[in-house]
Amino acid sequence: MTDVFPIALLFCFLLWFVNKNFKSQFLTNLRASPQTFHKKSTSRLGGLAIYFPLLITGYLIDSAGNYEFLRLALICSLPVFIVGLMDDLNIEVKPVFRLLFLLPSPILFFFVLGIRIDSVGIIFFDELLKIEIIGLLFLSFSLVGIINAFNIIDGFNGLLLTYCLSILLTLILAYESNSGIDWLTFMVALFLATFAVFLFNFPFGKLFLGDAGAYLLGALIPIALIEYTFDNGYSPWFVLAMLIYPVTEVLVSIIRKVFFRKMSALQPDGLHFHMLVFKKISKKVGFRRIRLRHFIVTFFIFSLNFPFLYAANLFKSNSILLIFLCLWYLLIYTMIYFMMLPKYAFKKK
């Protein structure tokens, strides 16, 4: 399973080299948008350095036959990956169509991999989830939402990657045999491929994860969490507790845009948590090097999130403590967020 790491590093190097030496409308990455903070073209094709090394490892190097889950997961996530890749290649897709094009992946996860959200800890709703169509709709809604949430928090060097690596590492270290060897090899391979991109991304920003990478991780990590949780009989709130950062980010974003700014929830506005932290750091500290500011933002948010991820793993069978943990995170997050939020955020756009 460690074969994926050198392959991913090679892909990262090639993507960096091509961006540095060959220019085209598909590869140049300098955009005028609220989320853009870099001034030089940097390849945002880091998703290729995760997907294809995993594909090569799963199909060409699997001598022991332990990559069945990985192979199926990569096939099922292909629609998600392609949608993100189109944006990375400067092929414009309207936000509504992008959401629709994400739907095949949750459907494939449901029927091919058998990914099910068996319970949410609410008796009445748990009974409804036993009905196949409702279970499918709920999984689709949840995955499409979390995929977009992962993309939202992919704003600075290392930000999403440190979060994903933290989740993957805690799951690998807490591995229990009920999840199966296929699940473990999948998680280790995904961790190593992601870590390779991390080395090129943080802190110097030589390669960006891109929408394809963010969407891919936003699909693969949640299904691994769901599989791990229900295979081992843990509380369904464990999944939410592990994903509380992106879930909170997307919920706050929707409330801010729809109810306060009277704009589409799909329209960017530059007021996400990490952006506000960046602006505060730039104003108060005033470091000239933008990468140093990126480093501080990533480290600050990692310091905020990691204790909650650690605590979630300690109490993964205790629904009451996990609910309290989620509520406590929401409280801390919103307090810090509204302290940083500028006054114009409450005005119509």
Side-chain angles (χ1 to χ4, degrees):
M1 69 183 75
T2 55
D3 296 325
V4 71
F5 183 65
I7 300 172
L9 282 178
L10 176 61
F11 267 82
C12 290
F13 175 79
L14 291 175
L15 290 167
W16 169 80
F17 181 82
V18 168
N19 179 79
K20 188 174 178 64
N21 295 281
F22 301 94
K23 306 299 179 184
S24 76
Q25 63 173 341
F26 295 107
L27 298 177
T28 301
N29 177 32
L30 277 174
R31 308 183 184 191
S33 72
Q35 292 106 326
T36 300
F37 288 88
H38 61 283
K39 296 180 180 179
K40 293 183 179 180
S41 176
T42 303
S43 174
R44 50 184 284 134
L45 299 177
L48 295 176
I50 295 178
Y51 190 86
F52 283 102
L54 290 175
L55 200 67
I56 292 169
T57 302
Y59 280 91
L60 301 180
I61 308 179
D62 181 21
S63 58
N66 293 327
Y67 280 111
E68 184 67 19
F69 189 89
L70 173 64
R71 288 193 290 266
L72 292 176
L74 290 174
I75 292 171
C76 295
S77 62
L78 186 59
V80 163
F81 180 73
I82 291 174
V83 172
L85 188 61
M86 290 173 68
D87 185 80
D88 295 335
L89 295 174
N90 293 318
I91 300 172
E92 187 176 352
V93 180
K94 291 184 177 181
V96 174
F97 291 118
R98 185 184 297 195
L99 289 177
L100 291 175
F101 294 155
L102 293 177
L103 285 174
S105 284
I107 295 171
L108 289 170
F109 287 138
F110 188 86
F111 288 109
V112 177
L113 272 177
I115 300 296
R116 303 285 197 278
I117 300 177
D118 296 330
S119 169
V120 293
I122 302 172
I123 296 175
F124 172 73
F125 197 75
D126 288 351
E127 290 299 316
L128 290 176
L129 288 175
K130 293 178 181 178
I131 302 172
E132 188 172 64
I133 186 62
I134 294 178
L136 174 60
L137 289 173
F138 185 69
L139 178 71
S140 300
F141 173 80
S142 301
L143 281 181
V144 168
I146 200 65
I147 287 168
N148 279 279
F150 269 54
N151 193 42
I152 286 174
I153 64 175
D154 181 31
F156 292 109
N157 297 342
L159 184 56
L160 176 59
L161 288 167
T162 54
Y163 184 70
C164 292
L165 289 171
S166 298
I167 292 176
L168 291 168
L169 184 61
T170 55
L171 291 177
I172 291 168
L173 293 176
Y175 168 73
E176 295 191 24
S177 58
N178 288 342
S179 301
I181 191 64
D182 275 6
W183 181 90
L184 180 61
T185 53
F186 167 74
M187 296 297 288
V188 172
L190 183 57
F191 175 86
L192 292 173
T194 304
F195 185 63
V197 176
F198 173 80
L199 293 177
F200 273 75
N201 176 262
F202 185 80
F204 300 112
K206 299 298 183 183
L207 178 67
F208 291 163
L209 188 57
D211 282 14
Y215 281 2
L216 182 65
L217 292 174
L220 296 181
I221 289 178
I223 66 163
L225 266 170
I226 293 169
E227 184 84 357
Y228 176 73
T229 298
F230 292 110
D231 278 357
N232 291 286
Y234 298 137
S235 167
W237 288 92
F238 174 64
V239 178
L240 179 60
M242 293 294 285
L243 299 174
I244 191 63
Y245 170 42
V247 169
T248 303
E249 182 65 60
V250 78
L251 288 176
V252 170
S253 177
I254 291 171
I255 293 170
R256 179 184 69 246
K257 293 176 183 178
V258 174
F259 295 101
F260 290 103
R261 310 204 73 195
K262 307 299 181 183
M263 59 188 287
S264 169
L266 302 177
Q267 185 179 349
D269 66 353
L271 291 173
H272 295 299
F273 186 85
H274 57 274
M275 296 176 180
L276 297 182
V277 174
F278 178 81
K279 290 172 183 176
K280 282 293 182 183
I281 288 172
S282 300
K283 184 178 180 180
K284 299 291 184 181
V285 181
F287 289 118
R288 290 185 178 181
R289 293 189 177 183
I290 193 169
R291 287 171 181 167
L292 181 56
R293 284 177 272 169
H294 281 213
F295 176 87
I296 296 171
V297 172
T298 297
F299 183 77
F300 172 78
I301 296 179
F302 169 79
S303 300
L304 175 66
N305 289 327
F306 189 78
F308 285 90
L309 293 176
Y310 180 76
N313 274 276
L314 289 178
F315 307 122
K316 52 194 170 188
S317 297
N318 192 319
S319 294
I320 294 175
L321 288 178
L322 289 170
I323 292 171
F324 174 79
L325 195 65
C326 292
L327 292 174
W328 182 246
Y329 184 89
L330 284 169
L331 177 63
I332 298 297
Y333 177 100
T334 51
M335 285 177 59
I336 298 174
Y337 183 81
F338 281 102
M339 286 171 60
M340 298 186 297
L341 200 62
K343 293 180 180 179
Y344 70 80
F346 297 98
K347 297 178 181 179
K348 295 181 182 179
K349 182 151 184 180

